[in-house]
């Protein structure tokens, strides 16, 4: 049976809430039990340093998140569960990848562009407050993924670009040094639930409207009691559409229970009674896990031992692979060089530029022409269908006059001369004719 590797990272900057449980923890734990799946889950504490400068918050969040996942049923005997900072091969690979990744690629990262746009709107310099860590974030994420040869990476649509960038890094490295990396794919679950928060907006710590996953029973009751509702009185029919109470209940209840509450809404259930129904249902699910969570939080050494055991399993994969990658780029023992006769060395085949096709968050399809050294030579505008982008690529690779014919849908890159683009396309055309 073919094994598919899934990899998921959890940034250690917050306290898990009900939205995290429904949207990530619960489906991930269920997925880890599937046959033919090898799962990797890691606490992304290096990534946390980009967003948080409070050491105690990062340490506390690491403890809370690890305890939450374990309490929710993640079995460290069936998955590889580790802390990112316990794997020294990750930052080492981060450097190797940074040496094959074009700056132009990173310039288009959504998080970086969002920071620049925010600064511009505020009248500040575009890069004001932008750290190298934020700018290089996609490379570190690429190292997380590529080190373990992950086939699938579950992400939301806003993260798809990072997976495409990881594919580009892998392809560039493979092109220069031979096939080493697996090209990962984004795994997008269109049915992942997004819970509303206390104010009806998406539950998020950014909005300060969350319900912590492992609140005490009394705190949970109080928070649910504070969920925003409309002014309809008891006896008046109420809409389930747009009701935060109903949506949260639906995420924790069976179909029969959900149908029953829907009828009660139509019959005019009082909001206080609806909140009590929601509280009892959520607490029924959370209570058994809460006991396990509190036991883990009271014994941090148990979590530490679990993470270190996971790191040992992860490094059993990462260490030999990193050794191979070092050798591939020439970081080798000099003793090895002494026994290789110059006559045995084969002439290196000239590296070719390549086209990369991808989809952006706007739903349109794009492509770029990337030089062998990772620089972006040419960027397309958006196409409505992947076939249209593919046809344009095919023309550029085969037709000598295609560059001029497709000018309207091509965006020249700053610092790239027309001559470089022409030479790259000519090289591809010549290679296709061989």
């Amino acid at each position: 049976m073919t094994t598919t590797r899934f990899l998921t990272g959890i940034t250690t900057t917050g306290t898990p809430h009900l939205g995290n449980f429904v949207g990530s923890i619960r489906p991930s734990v269920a997925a880890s039990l599937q046959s033919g799946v090898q799962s990797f889950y890691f606490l992304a504490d290096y990534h946390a340093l980009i967003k948080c400068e409070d050491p105690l918050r990062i340490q506390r969040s690491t403890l809370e998140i690890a305890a939450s996942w374990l309490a929710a049923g993640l079995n460290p005997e069936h998955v590889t569960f580790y802390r990112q900072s316990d794997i020294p091969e990750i930052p080492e690979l981060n450097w190797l990848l940074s040496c094959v990744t074009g700056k132009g690629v990173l310039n288009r990262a959504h998080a970086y562009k969002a920071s620049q746009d925010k600064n511009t709107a505020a009248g500040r310099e575009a890069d004001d407050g932008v750290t190298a860590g934020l700018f290089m974030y996609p490379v570190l994420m690429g190292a997380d993924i590529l080190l373990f040869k992950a086939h699938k990476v579950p992400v939301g649509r806003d993260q798809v670009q990072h997976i495409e960038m990881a594919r580009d890094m892998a392809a560039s490295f493979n092109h220069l040094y031979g096939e080493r990396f697996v090209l990962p794919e984004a795994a997008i679950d269109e049915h992942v639930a997004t819970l509303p928060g206390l104010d009806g907006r998406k539950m998020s710590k950014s909005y300060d409207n969350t319900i912590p996953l492992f609140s005490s029973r009394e705190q949970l009751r109080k928070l649910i009691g504070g969920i925003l509702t409309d002014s309809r009185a008891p006896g008046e029919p109420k809409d389930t559409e747009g009701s935060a109470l109903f949506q949260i209940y639906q995420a924790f209840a069976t179909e029969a229970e959900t149908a029953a509450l829907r009828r009660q809404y139509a019959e005019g259930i009082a909001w206080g009674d609806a909140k009590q129904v929601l509280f009892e249902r959520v607490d029924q699910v959370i209570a058994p896990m809460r006991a396990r969570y509190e036991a883990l939080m009271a014994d941090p050494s148990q979590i530490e031992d679990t993470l270190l055991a996971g790191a040992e399993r992860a490094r059993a994969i990462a260490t030999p692979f990193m050794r191979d990658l070092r050798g591939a780029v020439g970081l080798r023992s000099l003793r090895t060089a002494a026994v290789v006769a110059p006559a045995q060395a084969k002439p290196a085949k000239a590296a070719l530029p390549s086209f990369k096709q991808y989809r952006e968050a706007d739903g349109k399809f794009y492509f770029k022409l990337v030089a062998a050294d990772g620089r972006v030579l040419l960027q397309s505008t958006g196409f409505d269908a992947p076939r249209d982008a593919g046809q344009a690529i095919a023309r550029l690779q085969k037709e000598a006059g295609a560059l001029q014919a497709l000018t309207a849908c091509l965006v020249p890159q700053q610092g790239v001369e027309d001559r470089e683009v022409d030479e790259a396309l000519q090289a591809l055309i010549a290679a296709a004719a061989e």
Side-chain angles (χ1 to χ4, degrees):
M1 179 187 295
T2 302
T3 299
T4 301
R5 285 186 176 178
F6 279 75
L7 182 140
T8 299
I10 312 104
T11 306
T12 56
T13 54
T15 298
H17 52 71
L18 294 186
N20 297 141
F21 175 72
V22 170
S24 178
I25 299 175
R26 185 171 63 184
S28 295
V29 170
S32 72
L33 301 176
Q34 297 176 3
S35 61
V37 170
Q38 186 179 13
S39 298
F40 293 76
Y41 296 95
F42 69 95
L43 304 176
D45 49 353
Y46 279 145
H47 287 293
L49 299 178
I50 298 170
K51 305 176 183 178
C52 180
E53 297 175 349
D54 181 350
L56 294 178
R57 174 67 268 179
I58 289 176
Q59 184 184 32
R60 178 69 180 181
S61 179
T62 300
L63 177 64
E64 292 175 343
I65 291 172
S68 296
W69 281 72
L70 293 170
L74 189 70
N75 187 338
E77 298 299 321
H78 292 169
V79 305
T80 304
F81 185 48
Y82 58 97
R83 182 170 39 205
Q84 184 185 33
S85 59
D86 287 331
I87 315 298
E89 290 81 7
I90 292 174
E92 183 175 2
L93 178 55
N94 176 63
W95 176 249
L96 296 190
L97 294 177
S98 71
C99 293
V100 299
T101 303
K103 179 177 179 293
V105 173
L106 301 177
N107 284 341
R108 290 191 296 278
H110 295 324
Y112 175 56
K113 288 170 65 177
S115 294
Q116 288 195 313
D117 292 344
K118 184 177 180 180
N119 282 334
T120 301
R124 299 187 293 263
E125 289 196 13
D127 284 338
D128 183 49
V130 176
T131 65
L134 173 63
F135 184 71
M136 297 293 291
Y137 174 92
V139 184
L140 180 57
M141 188 170 178
D144 292 325
I145 297 166
L146 299 177
L147 183 61
F148 295 102
K149 299 185 179 181
H151 302 100
K152 302 282 187 178
V153 184
V155 291
R157 288 203 170 276
D158 60 335
Q159 290 284 318
V160 169
Q161 185 195 48
H162 287 136
I163 312 305
E164 295 294 339
M165 287 182 167
R167 289 176 62 88
D168 286 349
M169 295 170 205
S172 296
F173 191 98
N174 288 350
H175 186 72
L176 290 171
Y177 301 112
E179 296 292 324
R180 257 75 182 186
F181 292 121
V182 169
L183 271 59
E185 296 180 0
I188 304 172
D189 188 346
E190 302 289 358
H191 305 291
V192 168
T194 300
L195 290 193
L198 300 175
D199 56 3
R201 293 182 295 176
K202 175 184 175 181
M203 190 176 291
S204 169
K205 62 179 181 289
S206 300
Y207 297 142
D208 193 25
N209 67 352
T210 65
I211 301 176
L213 177 57
F214 291 115
S215 305
S216 67
R217 181 176 167 86
E218 289 311 310
Q219 184 186 15
L220 178 63
R221 186 196 303 273
K222 181 178 179 180
L223 288 169
I224 287 177
I227 293 176
L228 188 66
T229 57
D230 61 32
S231 59
R232 297 184 201 189
E236 289 186 73
K238 297 170 176 62
D239 293 329
T240 57
E241 187 69 29
S243 168
L245 277 172
F246 188 84
Q247 291 177 50
I248 297 173
Y249 183 84
Q250 189 173 27
F252 285 85
T254 65
E255 289 186 11
E257 290 169 332
T258 301
L261 183 61
R262 190 185 301 276
R263 288 193 297 271
Q264 289 179 283
Y265 262 62
E267 294 166 359
I269 187 174
W271 285 127
D273 293 338
K275 290 178 178 180
Q276 180 63 24
V277 170
L278 173 60
F279 163 70
E280 294 294 351
R281 191 65 189 86
V282 172
D283 192 60
Q284 184 180 345
V285 174
I286 300 302
M289 295 188 293
R290 184 189 295 125
R292 171 67 173 150
Y293 174 81
E294 291 174 352
L296 287 166
M297 290 295 290
D299 186 11
S301 62
Q302 183 180 347
I303 296 177
E304 181 70 13
D305 290 343
T306 298
L307 293 175
L308 292 178
E312 187 175 348
R313 294 175 63 180
R315 294 200 67 198
I317 298 169
T319 301
F321 185 38
M322 197 66 229
R323 188 183 305 121
D324 176 59
L325 296 176
R326 286 193 206 104
V329 301
L331 305 180
R332 307 167 183 158
S333 167
L334 298 182
R335 294 188 182 91
T336 304
V339 299
V340 178
Q344 294 177 322
K346 295 181 180 179
K349 187 175 181 179
L352 289 171
S354 60
F355 280 97
K356 312 290 184 185
Q357 187 173 342
Y358 57 97
R359 189 178 187 180
E360 280 282 20
D362 61 5
K364 291 186 178 293
F365 296 85
Y366 296 77
F367 66 80
K368 56 194 171 187
L369 176 61
V370 182
D373 62 5
R375 290 182 304 124
V376 177
L377 302 177
L378 196 64
Q379 170 72 50
S380 78
T381 55
F383 292 85
D384 293 329
R387 180 182 61 183
D388 297 334
Q391 289 175 345
I393 292 173
R395 290 187 63 186
L396 288 167
Q397 292 184 112
K398 296 177 182 178
E399 301 176 17
L403 185 62
Q404 287 70 34
L406 297 171
T407 299
C409 60
L410 298 174
V411 181
Q413 298 300 287
Q414 185 175 3
V416 176
E417 299 180 4
D418 293 342
R419 171 186 56 78
E420 293 182 90
V421 179
D422 287 332
E423 289 176 354
L425 292 175
Q426 289 300 323
L428 290 175
I429 293 171
E434 290 181 357

